[in-house]
Amino acid sequence: MTAGCAFQFGLPYLISALCGEGMSLGQAGILAATPAAGLLLTLMAWGAAADRWGERLVLSIRTRC
């Protein structure tokens, strides 16, 4: 949980360093926003699956690695 929060909320603090390495402000902003966008898309997909098949079933599904 700590690593996830550090990645999601800590990345915007690196925008000035990314701009210093040659990245434009827009590119650095998009890079900093990707963790939040990924979380949003995942929650939307989970919500759609929970509405369709039920929350308990979706929570109980395990993926194989």
Side-chain angles (χ1 to χ4, degrees):
M1 190 68 163
T2 302
C5 285
F7 180 68
Q8 183 174 358
F9 299 115
L11 196 56
Y13 289 105
L14 298 176
I15 288 179
S16 61
L18 293 171
C19 288
E21 292 292 322
M23 193 176 279
S24 73
L25 182 60
Q27 291 171 331
I30 289 173
L31 182 65
T34 53
L39 180 62
L40 175 69
L41 293 174
T42 302
L43 286 174
M44 288 173 56
W46 181 87
D51 286 344
R52 182 172 185 148
W53 296 296
E55 187 174 336
R56 289 184 182 185
L57 179 66
V58 174
L59 284 173
S60 66
I61 293 174
R62 292 184 62 185
T63 58
R64 296 179 188 213
C65 295

